[in-house]
Amino acid sequence: MKAEALKKRLDKSRPMTTITIRIPEDVIEDLKRVAPLLGFSGYQPLVRAYIGQGLRDDLERLEGDTEYREKGYEVFFHPHLEDLPDFLNNYRPDMIERRGEETVVIEVKSHSSLNSSSDQYLRNLAQAVEKHPGWRFELVMTNPENTRYSLKAEDSVQKHEIESQLQVARQLTTQHPESAILYSWSLVEVTLRLIAQKEELSLQRFDPRYLINQLATKGVISKSEYQLLMNLLPLRNSIAHGFKTTQITQNSVYELIELTEQLLRTLHTGDEAD
């Protein structure tokens, strides 16, 4: 969700309306039973939370839909069974994007929706997709509306520490590319936060997709830098959440390390200009 929309959504004084809906009595009883277990004062706040989370997930999917269409992909939102290949008959992915010989299967999940059952479903889906050339799996994580981002850019690792840790990432790359890309990604995120601080950008939160989009929108990072980061983000997400991927290569890690070094040079240049 975009920053301005999120800000409006968090405004408790925004206009409200009352609606009446019919819900089976047994569902109401289940809601009453679940509400206190999840920390809600009653079943009505829980219903609002369910609606809000479902809406945010779909808005995230629609934003991803627009992003892929702009890149020339044909997008299938909640694809029908007839739009799926045989190896996906047991799955219902949130989106499928096609462009030429490339097909992307996308699942959008919130952190609160992940559990052992959903983890197993996603793992099986990722493995089914990765077996087929030209197909790749992407996991998009959304953030709950009430998350508090108390982190500050000044709490981040600083430039000289990033430079030394990039050498560690290089050493990891040959034998452990999965570990190396996670480590390198953490360093590029830190660098992006420092750049945002240098540019005096007002950020609502620090999650990577939002951070990258904000820096690209403001022209702080180039189109090619944006594209590289967005291409690598799904790989980082898959590995971070325990999913196998055949797409990680040493070159992918080196590209990320070199981009981080390039961004650090931008920070050095800015410091010298000051």
Side-chain angles (χ1 to χ4, degrees), residues 256-273:
L256 187 56
I257 291 173
E258 289 166 5
L259 173 59
T260 308
E261 291 173 336
Q262 179 180 324
L263 293 170
L264 281 173
R265 286 194 291 272
T266 301
L267 272 174
H268 282 308
T269 303
D271 288 343
E272 290 169 2

Side-chain angles (χ1 to χ4, degrees), residues 73-109:
Y73 286 84
E74 182 181 11
V75 179
F76 297 86
F77 186 61
H78 288 311
H80 298 293
L81 185 60
E82 57 268 24
D83 296 321
L84 298 174
D86 291 341
F87 68 86
L88 290 180
N89 280 348
N90 294 326
Y91 303 95
R92 293 296 179 269
D94 292 318
M95 286 194 294
I96 286 183
E97 284 85 21
R98 292 196 182 105
R99 184 179 65 182
E101 299 298 317
E102 180 188 17
T103 304
V104 186
V105 177
I106 296 180
E107 279 287 327
V108 180
K109 297 294 181 185

Side-chain angles (χ1 to χ4, degrees), residues 220-269:
V220 178
I221 61 175
S222 68
K223 184 177 180 180
S224 61
E225 291 168 340
Y226 167 82
Q227 193 62 60
L228 175 61
L229 290 167
M230 294 305 285
N231 287 342
L232 291 177
L233 180 57
L235 289 179
R236 175 266 179 197
N237 286 344
S238 295
I239 295 168
H241 291 93
F243 301 108
K244 291 183 178 180
T245 175
T246 58
Q247 293 181 296
I248 181 66
T249 65
Q250 291 182 22
N251 284 339
S252 299
V253 183
Y254 287 134
E255 283 182 327
L256 187 56
I257 291 173
E258 289 166 5
L259 173 59
T260 308
E261 291 173 336
Q262 179 180 324
L263 293 170
L264 281 173
R265 286 194 291 272
T266 301
L267 272 174
H268 282 308
T269 303

Side-chain angles (χ1 to χ4, degrees), residues 4-273:
E4 285 305 314
L6 181 63
K7 190 182 297 183
K8 291 179 181 178
R9 193 62 64 81
L10 292 172
D11 181 6
K12 296 185 181 299
S13 65
R14 68 188 190 276
M16 306 287 282
T17 189
T18 300
I19 65 170
T20 301
I21 57 175
R22 293 171 58 84
I23 300 178
E25 291 183 358
D26 60 321
V27 174
I28 295 294
E29 292 304 314
D30 286 340
L31 288 167
K32 289 179 178 178
R33 181 165 56 88
V34 170
L37 299 177
L38 297 179
F40 290 90
S41 59
Y43 76 91
Q44 292 180 339
L46 178 59
V47 170
R48 290 195 293 270
Y50 282 150
I51 293 172
Q53 185 60 63
L55 178 59
R56 285 191 297 277
D57 287 350
D58 278 341
L59 288 173
E60 188 78 22
R61 294 183 184 101
L62 289 172
E63 288 181 10
D65 182 334
T66 302
E67 181 180 314
Y68 273 93
R69 287 185 192 279
E70 290 174 350
K71 295 176 183 177
Y73 286 84
E74 182 181 11
V75 179
F76 297 86
F77 186 61
H78 288 311
H80 298 293
L81 185 60
E82 57 268 24
D83 296 321
L84 298 174
D86 291 341
F87 68 86
L88 290 180
N89 280 348
N90 294 326
Y91 303 95
R92 293 296 179 269
D94 292 318
M95 286 194 294
I96 286 183
E97 284 85 21
R98 292 196 182 105
R99 184 179 65 182
E101 299 298 317
E102 180 188 17
T103 304
V104 186
V105 177
I106 296 180
E107 279 287 327
V108 180
K109 297 294 181 185
S110 65
H111 288 283
S112 60
S113 72
L114 292 179
N115 51 46
S116 58
S117 176
S118 64
D119 282 354
Q120 188 60 54
Y121 171 85
L122 293 171
R123 190 172 293 111
N124 292 342
L125 174 57
Q127 291 173 353
V129 171
E130 294 290 345
K131 289 178 182 178
H132 294 78
W135 288 72
R136 63 182 174 88
F137 174 74
E138 179 174 337
L139 175 64
V140 176
M141 300 300 299
T142 64
N143 289 287
E145 190 173 85
N146 61 354
T147 298
R148 295 292 182 262
Y149 294 88
S150 58
L151 293 174
K152 298 179 181 179
E154 55 265 28
D155 296 329
S156 300
V157 176
Q158 297 304 303
K159 287 180 289 185
H160 68 281
E161 297 172 293
I162 299 171
E163 291 166 347
S164 63
Q165 291 179 25
L166 282 172
Q167 300 311 310
V168 177
R170 284 189 181 277
Q171 294 168 9
L172 283 171
T173 301
T174 305
Q175 297 297 326
H176 306 286
E178 292 87 358
S179 300
I181 202 164
L182 288 177
Y183 194 32
S184 302
W185 186 272
S186 70
L187 298 175
V188 80
E189 268 196 52
V190 173
T191 305
L192 292 172
R193 290 200 297 269
L194 291 173
I195 290 174
Q197 181 188 34
K198 181 71 178 178
E199 297 293 327
E200 299 182 345
L201 297 184
S202 177
L203 299 176
Q204 300 298 316
R205 56 189 199 268
F206 285 137
D207 62 276
R209 184 179 292 270
Y210 169 81
L211 182 58
I212 295 165
N213 279 327
Q214 287 297 302
L215 291 171
T217 301
K218 303 296 184 181
V220 178
I221 61 175
S222 68
K223 184 177 180 180
S224 61
E225 291 168 340
Y226 167 82
Q227 193 62 60
L228 175 61
L229 290 167
M230 294 305 285
N231 287 342
L232 291 177
L233 180 57
L235 289 179
R236 175 266 179 197
N237 286 344
S238 295
I239 295 168
H241 291 93
F243 301 108
K244 291 183 178 180
T245 175
T246 58
Q247 293 181 296
I248 181 66
T249 65
Q250 291 182 22
N251 284 339
S252 299
V253 183
Y254 287 134
E255 283 182 327
L256 187 56
I257 291 173
E258 289 166 5
L259 173 59
T260 308
E261 291 173 336
Q262 179 180 324
L263 293 170
L264 281 173
R265 286 194 291 272
T266 301
L267 272 174
H268 282 308
T269 303
D271 288 343
E272 290 169 2

